[in-house]
Amino acid sequence: MRLRVEFTTEPFDLDEAPAHAVVARQVIEAAELDAVDVGPFGNTAEGGADAVLTAVDALLRKTLQAGATRVSLQVNVVGTAGEGAE
């Protein structure tokens, strides 16, 4: 099964990326995911279920430790291991 995760961390800072946002980027870019898109107001990544769920666990733990006061995320099933993403 393939999953897509979309997430944001808060509080926002329009002048400079806060530490929790930098940590979120590092976690997602280091994970074994495909189709990673990191932006200033939202981030998405896709991959196998195990890889996405492992990355989400690390994302939550590390961003909260780095000062995030809120992490909003959505996880969607986008296909199975033998299929392409929809």
Side-chain angles (χ1 to χ4, degrees), residues 4-59:
R4 176 184 300 126
V5 61
E6 301 175 47
F7 67 92
T8 59
T9 60
E10 296 178 37
F12 295 116
D13 183 339
L14 297 177
D15 295 325
E16 181 178 327
H20 58 81
V22 173
V23 167
R25 173 177 280 181
Q26 292 169 343
V27 168
I28 291 301
E29 289 178 344
E32 295 182 20
L33 303 172
D34 3 289
V36 173
D37 183 19
V38 178
F41 299 108
N43 310 283
T44 61
E46 289 185 21
D50 287 340
V52 170
L53 295 173
T54 297
V56 166
D57 178 64
L59 174 79

Side-chain angles (χ1 to χ4, degrees), residues 64-77:
L64 293 169
Q65 289 173 351
T69 58
R70 179 178 178 155
V71 180
S72 300
L73 65 90
Q74 179 173 309
V75 178
N76 294 304
V77 175

